[in-house]
Amino acid sequence: MRPHTLRTGIMKKKTYLWMLAVIFIYGLGVSCSTEGDVVYLPDPEEQKASTAPLVTVVYDADGVGDQSYNDLIYRGVEETADRYGLRTLQLSPQTNAEGLATLERLFQQMSTANDTIRRLCIVASPVYDEFVRKNSHRLESNQRAALLYLETDTPLESKGSTLYLPYYGAMYEAGNIAPLFASKVTLLGANPVNESVAEAINGFTAGFNDRQATIAATGKEEDGEGFKKGVLTTEYIGKEASEGFAIDDETALLLIDYCALQNQYADLLVPVCGGAANTFARLAEITTAYSFLGVDCEQNSVYSHFSAVKHIDRAVAMCIGQWLSADGMPKHQSLGLGSGYTEVVLHPQNSVFKSLVQRYLPDAVRTDIHQQAIKKESDLSEK
């Protein structure tokens, strides 16, 4: 497993490999042991195991280190642990099969623990959806055990809370703004199965198409507001729900060339593909062939002029605070564009694009686009 961090109220900043076995069984142990006629008692000088609340996070395969969504969760958990004096164990398995085995051990330990330690398990990936839904009832046997399942809009039938950050509104807003920066846009999704990926792609596509309809109504190549007539194509890296979130440079370059055959070379690439987006961001710097939309987090690059951001770090921090409170976490929460947990951030990196933003996206126009995107997202959720 990697990475992992252990925090206690006394020593919060150090990682103790030798204590992992202890923490992994959530502090369950013995007070003494025997061998023959000799009784061994704990050393009274040794530090006692902490009874501080413990937060364990399980990511998908190699999720941590993506410089995006998973790293935001990691940071949000650690900052919250600092604030409340919690212990944390953050686990990024090498394979999804290893992740499932980890969850099985965690659920077994949490359901049978008979101490007074409060434990929260955060499942950070929908690749474990089947396991979570089939096994969440097991935690009902321990009133001090809690579960938070991220990025699903379907509540759990048994014990556990769910959190969803709908991306449709933010991506609609980004798609509506995109023709200010580019006329040839390629949407690149991880796969067509993942719920969050599909929602993001649908939102961007709807926003882009609505802007194109407005331009078409003028009968010109531009709408007089600086927005260009454009073409949007959509491609996918993988086919299955767990695929397309990682890609090597060679494959990414081949995919860019393939997309170019479909839509010539795009002015703007929109990588809705988790950690794989970092590969395309890096290649933009190397090839200088395209600009890209920052997805999930704000990108600091001369080739990225705006980003659609998910503040999953803030959302997870809020949920942990709720868990620690007397009221606990709600059964389900959905926090989208209207709540501020998703947003579009403009950060043009050169004078040309800065002048475009200043001229064509003054506060009044941005507000109109933003409110329209909120309404689109709200209308969709009510269907």
Side-chain angles (χ1 to χ4, degrees):
M1 291 298 173
R2 66 180 193 278
H4 52 264
T5 58
L6 167 66
R7 292 175 178 272
T8 69
I10 298 174
M11 295 178 285
K12 295 183 179 179
K13 294 297 184 181
K14 297 182 180 178
T15 300
Y16 298 93
L17 293 174
W18 62 272
M19 287 186 68
L20 273 181
V22 177
I23 295 304
F24 206 67
I25 60 173
Y26 293 90
L28 295 178
V30 294
S31 59
C32 61
S33 59
T34 63
E35 183 178 337
D37 296 328
V38 181
V39 177
Y40 295 97
L41 298 175
D43 185 344
E45 299 301 320
E46 288 184 1
Q47 180 188 344
K48 293 183 179 179
S50 173
T51 58
L54 176 63
V55 178
T56 302
V57 189
V58 181
Y59 299 88
D60 59 6
D62 289 320
V64 176
D66 64 357
Q67 302 176 50
S68 185
Y69 180 83
N70 289 301
D71 282 7
L72 287 172
I73 296 172
Y74 188 97
R75 184 178 69 191
V77 170
E78 293 302 317
E79 290 178 351
T80 308
D82 276 340
R83 187 179 314 131
Y84 293 110
L86 311 177
R87 294 177 296 159
T88 70
L89 187 60
Q90 305 223 42
L91 304 174
S92 186
Q94 295 183 6
T95 65
N96 288 333
E98 186 179 318
L100 285 170
T102 298
L103 282 172
E104 172 58 35
R105 289 193 295 270
L106 288 172
F107 274 49
Q108 175 63 25
Q109 293 153 4
M110 291 176 71
S111 63
T112 58
N114 57 8
D115 53 33
T116 60
I117 297 173
R118 297 187 63 185
R119 299 174 177 85
L120 170 63
C121 176
I122 300 177
V123 180
S125 173
V127 301
Y128 306 122
D129 184 82
E130 183 178 1
F131 177 91
V132 172
R133 296 189 182 282
K134 285 185 177 180
N135 291 276
S136 61
H137 70 278
R138 294 163 60 183
L139 303 182
E140 293 173 353
S141 61
N142 184 356
Q143 64 178 357
R144 296 182 179 87
L147 171 67
L148 175 61
Y149 179 28
L150 304 182
E151 288 300 69
T152 176
D153 63 355
T154 306
L156 298 173
E157 292 185 1
S158 53
K159 186 170 184 175
S161 298
T162 48
L163 172 68
Y164 190 58
L165 269 60
Y167 219 12
Y168 187 94
M171 291 299 285
Y172 177 95
E173 185 173 333
N176 202 263
I177 291 173
L180 182 68
F181 300 108
S183 58
K184 296 175 183 176
V185 181
T186 295
L187 259 172
L188 191 57
N191 61 72
V193 181
N194 183 276
E195 180 182 6
S196 296
V197 170
E199 180 184 59
I201 285 179
N202 290 340
F204 189 95
T205 301
F208 187 90
N209 288 342
D210 283 357
R211 177 61 64 182
Q212 294 305 304
T214 301
I215 297 171
T218 68
K220 300 178 181 180
E221 292 298 307
E222 295 187 1
D223 66 353
E225 299 292 338
F227 294 91
K228 309 173 186 69
K229 183 178 180 181
V231 178
L232 174 67
T233 58
T234 303
E235 301 292 342
Y236 294 94
I237 299 173
K239 296 181 180 180
E240 303 299 327
S242 61
E243 294 178 345
F245 295 101
I247 191 170
D248 60 77
D249 287 6
E250 183 178 358
T251 304
L253 286 169
L254 290 173
L255 185 56
I256 291 170
D257 286 340
Y258 172 79
C259 293
L261 295 175
Q262 313 303 310
N263 190 21
Q264 298 184 13
Y265 277 98
D267 303 315
L268 177 67
L269 184 69
V270 182
V272 189
C273 47
N278 293 306
T279 301
F280 295 102
R282 186 175 65 255
L283 292 176
E285 303 277 355
I286 297 171
T287 66
T288 70
Y290 55 87
S291 62
F292 64 95
L293 174 73
V295 178
D296 287 344
C297 59
E298 185 174 340
Q299 288 284 352
N300 182 22
S301 169
V302 295
Y303 296 98
S304 180
H305 307 295
F306 66 132
S307 298
V309 179
K310 270 192 176 184
H311 296 295
I312 187 65
D313 51 341
R314 299 180 193 171
V316 168
M318 179 199 68
C319 289
I320 294 175
Q322 292 172 333
W323 168 61
L324 294 171
S325 72
D327 294 333
M329 290 183 294
K331 186 67 175 174
H332 179 73
Q333 297 178 88
S334 182
L335 306 169
L337 189 64
S339 69
Y341 282 92
T342 68
E343 67 171 325
V344 173
V345 179
L346 297 174
H347 44 86
Q349 300 294 318
N350 62 49
S351 58
V352 173
F353 288 102
K354 286 180 180 178
S355 64
L356 285 174
V357 170
Q358 291 171 355
R359 182 175 180 182
Y360 298 114
L361 286 177
D363 290 344
V365 175
R366 274 298 311 277
T367 298
D368 287 344
I369 295 173
H370 183 67
Q371 292 302 321
Q372 183 181 9
I374 290 175
K375 185 177 187 308
K376 292 281 186 179
E377 185 172 82
S378 176
D379 290 346
L380 184 68
S381 66
E382 293 175 358
K383 290 182 179 179

